[in-house]
Amino acid sequence: MIKNGKFGKYGGIFVPELLIPALEELESAFFKYKDHGRFNKELDYYLREFAGRPTPLYFASNLSKKLGCKIYLKREDLLHTGAHKINNTLGQGLLAKYMGKKRLIAETGAGQHGIATAAVGAMLKMPVDVYMGAEDIERQKLNVFRMEISGAKVIPVNTGSKTLKDAINQAMRDWISNIEDTHYLIGSTVGPHPYPTIVKHFQSIIGKETKQQILEKEGELPDAIMACVGGGSNSIGIFSAFIEDNVELIGVEGGGKGLKSDEHGATLCKGTTGILHGSLSKVLQNKDGQIKEAHSVSAGLDYPGVGPEHSYLKEIGRVKYVAITDPEALRGFQLLSKYEGIMPALESAHAIAYMEKYAKKPENKGKTIIVNLSGRGDKDMFLAAKLLGVKT
Ligand SMILES: *Cc1c(COP(=O)(O)O)cnc(C)c1O
């Protein structure tokens, strides 16, 4: 049943043989349920009533006036648990239930995906174990508490750099030993086939809604769409509906301390082809193939890999990828808060900061631009205050 799950040469399955049966089972269940009436009816119910879909496509009138463009924001920040991640956790959580699985496991970096999984686990009455690097647990105590209060168990990972990539490795090990009753709920369009395809499917609701909404509001497609890229799920979610259209698509990576430094998360701008977490894609690695540490002010963009489909979209020239540095992102965070009264997540602030640069170019004057606002900034307030030198 395993097809190769390739995007050009990228993607595929590079895992220990023991995992193959679980990936095959998952693939056939996904293809069985993705167009299944009852499954989709139930998912649609939870997306609306539990998560808060559809999200508005909001016309940012003040910024539009200031920048001389028509700027729209896709408001994923308004969803339950604060970001687009819930679209995928609901989809995969329900899929696991339909597959008869009894337990969910997940990895988390800063905790956003862990929180979304914990919420869905509580709602679907499935126990959740979340693997989290010991380093990240120390930095994100409040998020650990959020997961625990929803009944999830947070398991510290003490191997390697004690961060996200080590947590993914550990979660895969757990899955290998508990394939029968456990679903591994991956949080972005990464990992071996069929994960990049599954996560894209559940996030593509963002693009479908956006297309319908912009046609209602403007009577035509936008000129450009931009979204931040960590693993690549919110961006592929909004891009997917527009790939065949004449719309400029731009992915914005975490430029950290600058692309000339070694401290960034700009995998597509600066990475090379390699294997990480079960698939072939661009990765940040040294010349011996050792995975480097990524850096970004926003935890969600701080990952040394990226979804394989993005590597393909870059290669064929369909999507342009750029990077925004930490200080630029912080400016984006302030800009949207001040002009529109909307505090973006620091991840989303990267897309806002790039939108400002783009709108200021003379050739882009008057264009219609959509920014995917992947999440809200509440989680980042303490960090933003610290970076801006405000005492809290
Ligand atoms: C996790 C996260 C991201 C990055 O993940 P993608 O899979 O690239 O979308 C971006 N924004 C927010 C708010 C997040 O929580």
Side-chain angles (χ1 to χ4, degrees):
M1 178 82 201
I2 288 275
K3 296 177 268 312
N4 295 321
K6 291 264 180 86
F7 307 95
K9 71 177 180 203
Y10 300 104
I13 300 173
F14 297 86
V15 296
E17 206 147 338
L18 282 169
L19 265 186
I20 299 286
L23 293 171
E24 282 179 338
E25 185 193 0
L26 179 59
E27 186 195 41
S28 64
F30 171 65
F31 284 110
K32 175 171 168 196
Y33 289 118
K34 89 181 181 49
D35 301 313
H36 186 276
R38 186 163 51 87
F39 177 85
N40 282 317
K41 213 170 143 201
E42 202 174 340
L43 178 57
D44 191 56
Y45 169 79
Y46 289 129
L47 286 169
R48 275 185 293 117
E49 307 274 324
F50 185 71
R53 299 211 75 88
T55 60
L57 182 69
Y58 179 70
F59 180 60
S61 61
N62 300 331
L63 271 182
S64 295
K65 208 162 177 190
K66 172 177 157 67
L67 297 170
C69 284
K70 276 188 185 167
I71 296 156
Y72 284 91
L73 307 171
K74 181 58 175 163
R75 298 292 308 275
E76 297 297 292
D77 60 310
L78 294 176
L79 289 173
H80 179 43
T81 67
H84 70 289
K85 293 218 165 65
I86 196 84
N87 302 323
N88 170 54
T89 46
L90 274 174
Q92 278 194 56
L94 201 62
L95 182 61
K97 203 174 129 184
Y98 273 65
M99 290 172 75
K101 302 291 175 188
K102 302 282 180 249
R103 168 180 178 252
L104 300 174
I105 57 172
E107 81 293 340
T108 199
Q112 293 307 114
H113 175 54
I115 289 167
T117 308
V120 167
M123 192 270 285
L124 294 175
K125 293 196 274 197
M126 293 170 90
V128 175
D129 285 350
V130 179
Y131 287 93
M132 187 169 183
E135 189 73 31
D136 291 332
I137 287 182
E138 202 45 48
R139 286 189 287 203
Q140 302 287 343
K141 288 204 174 114
L142 192 61
N143 282 349
V144 173
F145 179 59
R146 280 190 190 149
M147 288 180 258
E148 287 173 346
I149 202 108
S150 297
K153 193 165 108 199
V154 179
I155 304 172
V157 175
N158 281 300
T159 49
S161 54
K162 306 182 187 181
T163 59
L164 177 63
K165 75 174 166 53
D166 313 288
I168 296 180
N169 291 334
Q170 205 60 40
M172 289 219 181
R173 252 169 247 146
D174 177 318
W175 201 30
I176 287 178
S177 330
N178 299 288
I179 284 172
E180 278 300 288
D181 73 338
T182 298
H183 174 66
Y184 177 18
L185 208 164
I186 290 189
S188 189
T189 45
V190 299
H193 175 70
Y195 280 106
T197 299
I198 291 178
V199 178
K200 174 191 182 177
H201 174 76
F202 290 130
Q203 292 293 1
S204 66
I205 182 99
I206 306 174
K208 284 187 198 131
E209 281 178 14
T210 302
K211 195 167 198 174
Q212 197 184 345
Q213 290 166 321
I214 195 71
L215 288 174
E216 272 164 24
K217 285 172 199 274
E218 291 289 332
E220 58 185 11
L221 294 175
D223 295 296
I225 299 178
M226 24 204 102
C228 64
V229 180
S233 69
N234 85 85
S235 50
I236 209 81
I238 193 162
F239 292 166
S240 57
F242 299 90
I243 293 278
E244 307 290 333
D245 299 318
N246 185 20
V247 174
E248 196 180 354
L249 304 175
I250 304 171
V252 186
E253 297 194 288
K257 299 189 176 161
L259 295 192
K260 291 204 180 77
S261 77
D262 226 13
E263 294 179 66
H264 58 74
T267 314
L268 289 156
C269 293
K270 296 286 282 185
T272 50
T273 302
I275 290 170
L276 178 64
H277 298 135
S279 77
L280 186 78
S281 191
K282 294 294 177 194
V283 294
L284 298 175
Q285 59 189 339
N286 69 17
K287 57 185 186 330
D288 301 325
Q290 288 291 335
I291 301 302
K292 289 195 207 169
E293 300 242 342
H295 166 84
S296 170
V297 68
S298 63
L301 306 186
D302 188 358
Y303 177 63
V306 69
E309 190 167 4
H310 285 287
S311 295
Y312 174 68
L313 290 169
K314 179 184 160 121
E315 194 164 283
I316 62 170
R318 177 62 190 95
V319 179
K320 180 173 143 186
Y321 295 91
V322 297
I324 282 291
T325 64
D326 291 350
E328 288 172 327
L330 202 61
R331 185 178 146 70
F333 177 84
Q334 292 171 283
L335 185 76
L336 195 65
S337 306
K338 181 166 166 197
Y339 280 86
E340 298 293 346
I342 298 170
M343 282 179 318
L346 280 173
E347 290 84 357
S348 325
H350 285 70
I352 295 292
Y354 186 75
M355 178 275 290
E356 188 194 18
K357 275 191 176 175
Y358 180 96
K360 280 185 169 166
K361 289 185 188 159
E363 67 268 29
N364 294 329
K365 196 150 188 61
K367 283 190 175 173
T368 302
I369 304 169
I370 297 175
V371 179
N372 195 25
L373 208 64
S374 55
R376 58 175 169 252
D378 306 51
K379 69 183 177 62
D380 296 318
M381 291 316 288
F382 282 114
L383 180 57
K386 195 172 131 196
L387 294 170
L388 293 169
V390 177
K391 282 218 167 70
T392 49

